[in-house]
Amino acid sequence: MSASPLSPAPKRWPPVIWALLIGTFAVRAAGFVYPYLPYRLDELHQDTAAVSTVLALWGAGWFAGQLLCGWLADRIGRRATLASAMAVAAAGFPLLAEARTPMALGMAAALSGLVYDAPRPILTAVVADTVADESGRARITGWRHFAVNLGAAVTGLVGGALAEPVGIPVLFWCNALVCAVFAVVVLRVLPPSAPERVLGHRGHREAFTDPLLWLLWLASLLTLVPVAALFSVLPMMMAQDGLPPTAYGWTQVASAAAVIGLSPLLTPWLARRAKRPAPMVGLLGMSGIILGAGMGSAGLASSVAGYSAAAALSVPGEIVAFVAATDILNRITPPTSRGVYAGIWGTTLATAVLCAPALGGWALAHGGHHLVALTLLTTGLLGAALCLPLAALLHRLSRASA
């Protein structure tokens, strides 16, 4: 079936979208700083309290960075914000590589976390600015998720192969170099955007009191906790089962393989679904159930095959969750506040990364693997349940404006 002018095929995406997708893949493929930071802290013989503090400061920076980058994208423009964030990353990651004391490590971690995921809200805003139809936006979101996951797989493979022979600080410097190159690319390919100043301030204030946005935020957070559990709770359970770190690596391979295999199938289907007038609230709810059940099944596993299967089974829910949530976000966002809305929603992943290990650790301490399974299933179901009032409010507002 040929694409209509209002439903562009990937080959007809504007060059700026291709550049940002490729740049997103590159910075995530070279994104050694976040996954290898705990190993760097271990090399420096930091105690448990120092490690926890540094990682918490990273998480706080990640959360604040989503809000700041989204707000700046509306205030000073998309190009200036993204280029500046990548320049800060190019300067901050080497500081993290060379820091030695807990205070220096903490400051560098907070700065690095601030800009590590900066492209997320800005790319969301640029796509909404550039692509008019919801089907095209959903297609790009699906392939962006593919690029991020493929990049993460490359990070694991390359980092695992090079960490010992070249050293983790060198990997951090490589991460900084790629960010510096991306900053230059952004300045060359992304046109300057004039911020919308007439309604922007009022729109930003209204974003923090928009019930649609906050229902979406909470539903997304609960849905994404099982996604974050893949990187935090899963290794804890596998370690308790006596499985080596290489076994956890196989779960990442299984997850990445599922993303690579399913994205080309699910993304066109989701793009067709986005052509409907109603946003994808039902699909977001379905993704919460899939993710809760998929990652929850890891609590019943005890072998590499079982844990890998749980990781792979969760992938369809993960793909659908990101596309569906972005579809809803695009439809409820005022054009003058796309950056700040995307930034607020972008904090869901950072918050999930903080909540998942806390919930998982509590469940392991009080009920073992079976309580972990129940906890992850419950978070997914709660995320799905919150889609009911979200759908009702969307429907009521739609009828009121008709």
Side-chain angles (χ1 to χ4, degrees):
M1 184 175 68
S2 61
S4 69
L6 293 178
S7 182
K11 66 180 180 180
R12 302 172 74 178
W13 292 345
V16 65
I17 297 297
W18 281 107
L20 291 178
L21 286 177
I22 293 170
T24 296
F25 166 75
V27 297
R28 187 49 58 96
F32 304 109
V33 173
Y34 178 58
Y36 289 93
L37 179 56
Y39 295 99
R40 176 59 179 160
L41 297 174
D42 183 64
E43 282 184 351
L44 296 173
H45 306 293
Q46 298 295 316
D47 59 31
T48 302
V51 170
S52 298
T53 300
V54 171
L55 295 179
L57 287 170
W58 174 284
W62 187 351
F63 183 96
Q66 293 293 290
L67 295 174
L68 179 62
C69 289
W71 179 72
L72 287 175
D74 288 335
R75 289 298 304 275
I76 67 174
R78 313 330 186 193
R79 183 176 77 163
T81 302
L82 184 53
S84 299
M86 290 299 95
V88 171
F93 293 170
L95 294 178
L96 197 55
E98 303 303 326
R100 295 290 188 276
T101 66
M103 180 175 292
L105 287 165
M107 294 175 62
L111 179 64
S112 299
L114 196 72
V115 295
Y116 179 74
D117 202 26
R120 183 182 300 277
I122 299 168
L123 181 53
T124 298
V126 170
V127 169
D129 293 340
T130 309
V131 180
D133 63 299
E134 298 299 341
S135 177
R137 292 173 178 176
R139 191 182 298 273
I140 293 169
T141 300
W143 286 112
R144 176 177 66 172
H145 184 66
F146 174 85
V148 168
N149 280 272
L150 183 61
V154 172
T155 301
L157 290 172
V158 175
L162 296 181
E164 187 171 349
V166 306
I168 292 176
V170 173
L171 296 180
F172 287 11
W173 277 92
C174 291
N175 199 161
L177 177 61
V178 173
C179 289
V181 172
F182 190 32
V184 174
V185 170
V186 167
L187 289 174
R188 292 184 63 88
V189 305
L190 193 61
S193 56
E196 306 251 8
R197 299 188 181 277
V198 178
L199 297 175
H201 299 301
R202 187 181 70 189
H204 292 173
R205 288 194 298 269
E206 290 178 350
F208 288 93
T209 58
D210 187 341
L212 288 174
L213 178 59
W214 289 107
L215 276 172
L216 174 62
W217 188 91
L218 190 54
S220 300
L221 169 61
L222 291 165
T223 299
L224 293 178
V225 165
V227 175
L230 175 65
F231 307 103
S232 55
V233 183
L234 204 66
M236 286 192 284
M237 291 193 295
M238 295 181 76
Q240 285 194 352
D241 282 332
L243 297 172
T246 52
Y248 175 66
W250 283 111
T251 67
Q252 301 301 294
V253 170
S255 177
V259 169
I260 293 170
L262 290 174
S263 288
L265 301 176
L266 286 176
T267 298
W269 174 73
L270 289 166
R272 292 192 296 272
R273 172 60 182 79
K275 294 179 182 179
R276 300 180 185 178
M280 300 186 190
V281 182
L283 288 178
L284 180 60
M286 182 184 73
S287 71
I289 296 171
I290 294 172
L291 282 164
M295 281 308 302
S297 68
L300 308 177
S302 59
S303 64
V304 177
Y307 284 113
S308 298
L313 287 171
S314 303
V315 165
E318 181 183 341
I319 296 171
V320 172
F322 279 100
V323 176
T326 304
D327 174 74
I328 300 167
L329 181 70
N330 286 333
R331 294 175 191 254
I332 68 174
T333 300
T336 54
S337 302
R338 283 174 174 150
V340 73
Y341 268 68
I344 290 172
W345 185 85
T347 63
T348 55
L349 187 56
T351 307
V353 167
L354 294 172
C355 290
L359 286 172
W362 172 84
L364 281 173
H366 291 84
H369 291 203
H370 287 177
L371 186 55
V372 171
L374 181 61
T375 301
L376 293 177
L377 176 60
T378 300
T379 58
L381 293 177
L382 287 173
L386 279 173
C387 290
L388 296 175
L390 175 60
L393 183 56
L394 280 166
H395 180 67
R396 185 164 69 246
L397 293 176
S398 177
R399 291 186 62 183
S401 62

